[in-house]
Amino acid sequence: MELQWPLILFTTLVAWSAGLFGTQALMALRGGGDRAQLPALVTAIVLLAAGGIAVFFHLEHWERIFNGFGHLTSGITQELIAIVVVVVLMVAYVICLRRSENGGVPRWLAGVSLAACIVLVIVMAHSYTMAARPAWNSVLWILYVLGNSCILGPTTMAVIMAVRGDDLAVMGLPVLVGAIANAVSAVAFAVFLQFSSASFAEVGYYFDPTHPTEAMAVAADVVAAQTPLLWVGAVIVGALIPLVVVFSARRNGGAVGWKLWGAVAAAAALIGAVCLRVVFYELGLSAFMFY
């Protein structure tokens, strides 16, 4: 399947935004990161807006998308509902921060915001799962996107807290847990993708009237071609390097260390997220071509 860069950017940026907004909500529940709350919220809003803009470039006739919003079972409709809910909570968050004297928000708002961010990521990832594309038809994809949020959000929040002078002790455990979740989900999904070619049956002869001069795609060859990007880009760079960096920064890095190593971990995780999404689309072969 051809690469859909608008959707790659959309899923990456929305996961990043939800991860950051969810992390700052978690910090509010843990009683930390007060100085970083407003800058983190602004960053999360910008990321969500950028993702929303990117997705429209996927549509040749974007105005027709409104026809799909009338069906609640549509993945696009569910994504829109989840995004609208998160945006409303972001607005409420801004109002509470502006009225607060110490940079805090009510615990109920923080709890609801954290839950909404998790739901948004799950709904967004679920809209891509489909039986017609075996490499996409796995709950591991949903867990992987959640893992992206768990590493991109906390590392970004840690950098903002370090810049703003907040106490980083409260961030140590969430960042480490997020890095572990990202690494485990990335490795699990990479293994699934590596063996996805087994989902197809070999066909000796096939004629596609829409592509009469093109040979059939061989699933095993497509998977093999993506192996370096999958394991080096998505797993080593995107999962293992952030885990090592976060573990080291948590043990030895103060505010200065987190400014540098938190940014390195976030950048590596971002590169890995994009690499795996590229593989995700390259391996998104339709079962129609093989049966």
Side-chain angles (χ1 to χ4, degrees), residues 123-143:
V123 168
M124 177 187 68
H126 180 265
S127 67
Y128 290 84
T129 60
M130 56 187 72
R133 300 188 184 277
W136 294 15
N137 194 35
S138 173
V139 70
L140 293 175
W141 159 249
I142 300 175
L143 296 177

Side-chain angles (χ1 to χ4, degrees), residues 1-264:
M1 182 179 182
E2 65 277 5
L3 295 179
Q4 301 292 331
W5 281 105
L7 296 182
I8 291 173
L9 293 176
F10 169 71
T11 56
T12 303
L13 293 175
V14 171
W16 193 355
S17 173
L20 179 54
F21 187 40
T23 302
Q24 69 176 107
L26 178 62
M27 290 299 99
L29 290 173
R30 291 170 62 91
D34 291 343
R35 297 177 182 174
Q37 285 287 336
L38 187 57
L41 182 58
V42 171
T43 304
I45 292 173
V46 170
L47 290 171
L48 186 60
I53 293 172
V55 75
F56 277 96
F57 288 93
H58 172 65
L59 306 169
E60 294 184 8
H61 298 280
W62 62 267
E63 70 282 358
R64 298 179 184 176
I65 197 62
F66 294 101
N67 296 327
F69 291 151
H71 305 278
L72 290 178
T73 57
S74 168
I76 295 175
T77 303
Q78 294 169 2
E79 284 177 334
L80 177 63
I81 293 173
I83 289 174
V84 169
V85 170
V86 170
V87 169
V88 170
L89 290 171
M90 285 178 167
V91 173
Y93 218 94
V94 170
I95 295 173
C96 289
L97 286 177
R98 297 292 294 177
R99 292 180 176 178
S100 174
E101 296 181 357
N102 59 358
V105 297
R107 292 181 63 85
W108 69 265
L109 178 58
V112 172
S113 299
L114 176 58
C117 289
I118 296 173
V119 171
L120 170 57
V121 175
I122 292 174
V123 168
M124 177 187 68
H126 180 265
S127 67
Y128 290 84
T129 60
M130 56 187 72
R133 300 188 184 277
W136 294 15
N137 194 35
S138 173
V139 70
L140 293 175
W141 159 249
I142 300 175
L143 296 177
Y144 171 73
V145 180
L146 274 173
N148 287 167
S149 296
C150 289
I151 185 63
L152 289 171
T155 51
T156 304
M157 186 66 181
V159 172
I160 296 174
M161 288 175 64
V163 172
R164 297 290 293 176
D166 278 318
D167 183 5
L168 287 161
V170 71
M171 270 300 299
L173 183 60
V175 175
L176 181 60
V177 171
I180 294 173
N182 177 65
V184 171
S185 61
V187 172
F189 191 49
V191 171
F192 171 79
L193 289 177
Q194 189 68 56
F195 290 98
S196 63
S197 62
S199 303
F200 298 99
E202 292 187 6
V203 180
Y205 299 95
Y206 179 82
F207 177 74
D208 182 358
T210 61
H211 302 87
T213 61
E214 293 186 14
M216 282 189 60
V218 180
D221 292 346
V222 176
V223 173
Q226 299 303 316
T227 296
L229 186 61
L230 176 63
W231 291 99
V232 176
V235 174
I236 295 179
V237 175
L240 300 184
I241 288 180
L243 179 59
V244 172
V245 170
V246 164
F247 184 78
S248 177
R250 183 170 178 266
R251 294 191 60 183
N252 306 313
V256 176
W258 272 112
K259 289 178 185 178
L260 173 61
W261 298 114
V264 170

